Amino acid sequence: MAKKRGVGISAVWYPTGMSGGGDPSQAIIKMQPDGSVDVLIGTVDIGQGVRTVVRQIAAEELGVPIERVSVTVVDTDSSPLDTGTFASRATHQTGNAVLQAAAEARQVLLEVGAQQLGVEPEALVLENDTVVVKDHPEQAIPIPDVASHATWAERRLIAGRGAFGWAVAKVDSETGQGEPLHTMAYGATLAEVEVDTETGEVKVLKLVSAYDCGKAINRLLVEGQIDGGAAMGLGSALMEELHPYYPSLEHHPTGFFSYMLPTAKDVPPLEAVIVEMNSDTGPYGAKGIGEMTANSQAPAIINAIHDAIGVWITDIPATSEKVLRAIEAQAGEDIQPGYVPPEPYWPHEAIAG
Amino acid sequence: MASTKQEVLYFAPASLEAALELLDQHAGKLNVLAGGTDLVRDMNLKFKVPPGFMWIGKIGLEYVERQNGHLRVGAATRMQTAGSSEVLRQQGAAVARAAGKLASPPVRSLATLGGNLVNASPGADTACALLGLGAEVVLTSKGGSRTVLLEAFFTGPGETVIKPNELMTEIVFKPTGKGQGSAYAKVGRRQAMTLAVLNAAARVELDGDGKCSDVRIAVGAAAPTPLRAVEAETLLRGQPWTEEAIEAAAAKAAEEIKPIDDVHGTAWYRRKLARVLVGRTLREAGEIAQGAR
Amino acid sequence: MTEHKYVGQRLPRYDGMQHVTGKTQFVGDMRMHGMLYVKAWRSPVASATISRIDVSQAKALPGVVAVITHEQVPNNRYGFAGDFPVLADTEIRYKGQEVAAVAAETEEIARQAVELIKVDYKERPAVLDPFEAMRPDSAKVSPTGNFVMFDGKPYRPVIRGDVEAAFAQADHIIEGYFRTAAQEHCPIETQTSVVQTDSMGRTHIHTVTQAVFFNQGTLASILKKPQSMVHMLGGIVGGGFGAKNDPHTDHICAVLSLYTNGRPVRWIWTREEEFVASTQRGATHMFFKDAVTNDGHIIGRQVRSVRDGGAYVLTNDYVAAKHAFAVSGPYNIPNIRTHAYAVLTNRRPTSSMRGFGIYQASIGHELQIEHIAKQLGMDSWRIRFLNAVHDGDLSATQAVLKNCGLIESLQQTAERAGVKLDDEFLQLSSKAVREA
Amino acid sequence: MDYPIKFTLNSAEVEVEAPATINLLRLLRDYLDVTGPKFGCEQGNCGACTVHIDGEAANACLVHGLTIDGREVTTVEGLGTMEAPDPLQLAFYEHYGAQCGFCTPGMLMASKALLDHNPHPTRDDVVEAIVGNVCRCTGYNKIIESVLAAADAARE
């Protein structure tokens, strides 16, 4: 039984938000008379944790304890518009909208507090659940008291609106020139594999991934994204394929017994490294890395297979069978390791040659 | 025309006698439900809803015991029980290993050896292992019992010789002892929770002179039923136990099988794997027989 | 640096305790009074013309409350290109396509009713190979042709510099072909909707969509109602990965709910439905041709990629565009020519999946650069550091790059993995001004 | 025809009637309104419906509903509550073992069965225990960390 090990790396990038723009996010923040805060957003939590992130931002900006901040689920009757959770955009776009809404709400809060304290709003800061005069910590009012005063005495609504989005990019139809990519995030992966040269089975022994997400608003959640992407990337490298006899439709899988996803045993202990090259555009410098964390593992793994046994897999995924085919082809057997495209018929507009 | 709602029967007899009586009464109308991991799945997916179910979880068919020089395993013995049985691990390593590799713990707490055999999937883990161990199954009806060698039990994918009024009650095989060993190996499409692209099992007996006095080789997911590689066995029986002999037998086994292309792999790949896995199980069983592991 | 109290912390999920106690209420966990169950008739073939749809027997089955075909759909077309029918009308373009749907008192009755639906169709040859679909003599998947069009072109171009000059100047021209597979997103929660239309004519949709407001607009158009009459409730989603951007159950349930006299309908897809009928990631073929110098600089790159786009346009143009914008990779390549094709085939529709065209691009440029490194006998790290983007570099679309982080990501990957990099690589920075 | 079933569900006696075509998952979700166990595939391949039957982890979708008569079933609802969570639930909360939360009830029950039988598991033991539970969000890493952390906490 021959097992050979190899190491491979990869480097990737990914834009934050829709390429080409046109994807607004809106937010509304309002404070209740007891100083609790409602954050209304229109994007959804698909597991990545946007409600948690948005709650952190609102609590940070309004100086209230995070426990007093509620973030709604989406109800089109009350939530402001948001194009949605895709394109690695929620933390960045919705986060920016919430930041803006919080600034507006904060201004009202400061104005009411200033009235109560008899100072200018500019003289105040929000700290530890109080509105406090800069450099005079003894002159402070708890935020709940300001909220109550605003509601009942001043008849004011402490609230804020926020809206963010990339403008629709003007992309030249001949050359593609324009600004369709915004706030690029980066990542790299190192994979170590062990290949069974008799069966073609590949076991991934190590996956180390470093991702530049700009400011990590919640490091636990960012690590979760990097880990989750790693498993999905591993699946796409080694096993996930809807057409085992591509392009034929035959043998199309119909469940998790015929379409393979990585199990806990397929995924090695994962290393997630957070790199923070802050962006100029995101909340606190954040970028979006939701999708790209699944992009770097497959090439690193395929490159590691080459390092281990000297064969190139170019038809992804590198299933055990394809790896063995490549090994046998290299050894002289007349067999194709994977799909071989016909000579394409490029339309006349295309590149000559 | 609207189909009428099907009335499905259910029985949960408390004794073997009661179970056999029910099978006799409702011959052909009751599907025997052991773990349910195949039957209930098929029901869920509307592949097959039988006219009735008879659950055999309460009739005492879960046991592993040694009797008259044979291992006797109750047909309703669950995979987790088989996989963790010290007796099986020592004296029927192939089946203990196969049971322990089947699916996942929440499936192994349900699925039974008998169910895995009666379902007759060509790549069933324990079917391959038990075939390699030379097992027989006891089929019992109200009228009495008969014993069928496993290689005569399977007749096609999902098809066996079991009659509608019969219940598989026991699996019997010769334990391995001194100078004997068994092994099981499988390649799936991932590290766990996978059907076999191909599996293989072997039982090896070596004599004092280092010759192979008896051998059995089984290959699964390589033909309509789990298959015994008879010609490969012939190459080994009575011959010195050498790496060359093992290689030759493994190559012969790869020729004997009748694999197809399906979602899990091609016939080409299955032949390659047959040679590798038959070789590996023979080597491992041989090492156990030699006391080397 | 500003001190933050909450931002930058490791805080548990807001809804974490609900999740771990099983209290989170997903859409499929809802049950409403008088709720009906939905099933659909799906095409067993990949390509056909429909001559007749007969639902009379299904309607007559006791327990069936509503049966719809395209005739009951107020506006049967949606999607970026407006080509995707809610229910197939004149033709079938993929195996698994919905032609009719039933709402009944129980799931079992709904299933039986579907079996009573008769669809007369004439099977056509299916086009399953995108290279076949590209041929002028190919059968047409869509009457308007098999190419997804980009401002009148059958591909999305991205052109920077002079790639021919780069090839002329190069020490090596290195080509590579790579294919990535079609994939399924596999969120553990399948497509699910609970929908009710009330006596005011407002349709309330409990949705698992990732894009509530996108879909509110789509559904308003399908139902021909003002957006305010389409009330969507969502935000608790059992995994998405791009599977839940396009409507799968919301639109059919919403139309059904117009015909159930106010009774809510629920549809939870089986795992099999998820595999046969949901959107998928399209297989992609990439042909690279790079101009490379002896010292490992990539000075020119040509990429032609072909996306196996499935039966309808949906987001194909967007995915191909995103692919074209980014396929140069995080490298400073002065001369680029990319043509990204998306070609229609008789496969189930392809749409967004985590990575949106750049997943494929990443595999392409990272296998290609490794092939280059090996051909040049160069270290894998060196070739990436050598070509990595810096602040101030231009993208293929000539956008000025800022806040770059590739060099740092590579450095930190090496550090965590215990790889000792040469000092020259450790001293690099994305912020460093590039030497002229 | 419906058959009567009597069993112990999360420490309470329940009685229910169901046809002979019911699996335990549907019995729990549709008849008893216990929605912790999730519908993920009904093929026994995702583990989202994992419950305990007489103390052992089992895929509820593969269990014939009527065979539950006289037995003891525990779902995630029986593991602990928001106010009094099981240490394993708390560990999943603190170590980010749940993202979208859909596989979580099954994942908890599979790993709880492990800890019940093996209070001091190795990382490999945890992996073996959850191989039948698919998670598409977490990459399993923080799930495994959560289970190990719960075991550590119990040791103290």
Side-chain angles (χ1 to χ4, degrees), chain C residues 60-91:
Chain C
L61 184 71
V64 171
V65 175
V67 183
I68 57 166
T69 68
H70 65 93
E71 289 179 4
Q72 279 71 43
V73 184
N75 170 14
N76 199 37
R77 287 286 188 283
Y78 71 100
F80 280 0
D83 66 334
F84 200 4
V86 176
L87 293 168
D89 36 36
T90 58
E91 59 167 358

Side-chain angles (χ1 to χ4, degrees), chain A residues 216-301:
Chain A
I217 293 177
N218 186 324
R219 299 181 72 85
L220 195 60
L221 269 55
V222 173
E223 287 171 10
Q225 285 291 98
I226 299 175
D227 286 353
M232 194 179 260
L234 185 152
S236 64
L238 298 180
M239 57 187 85
E240 295 188 31
E241 161 72 284
L242 280 171
H243 306 109
Y245 297 95
Y246 184 85
S248 162
L249 276 186
E250 285 264 316
H251 302 293
H252 190 97
T254 55
F256 292 149
F257 55 95
S258 43
Y259 184 84
M260 296 288 108
L261 297 177
T263 69
K265 204 167 177 177
D266 295 284
V267 182
L270 300 170
E271 298 279 349
V273 186
I274 296 174
V275 181
E276 293 180 295
M277 303 297 283
N278 285 5
S279 74
D280 299 342
T281 59
Y284 311 96
K287 301 174 176 178
I289 61 158
E291 295 170 272
M292 70 183 302
T293 56
N295 290 356
S296 55
Q297 297 76 19
I301 289 168

Side-chain angles (χ1 to χ4, degrees), chain B residues 2 12 33 35 52 73 75 82 90 106 120-121 130 175 179 197 225 252 268 271 276 285:
Chain B
L33 180 68
V73 184
Q90 297 299 323
S121 162
L130 287 165
V197 178
T225 66
K252 176 57 79 179
W268 177 90
R271 284 196 197 278
V276 175

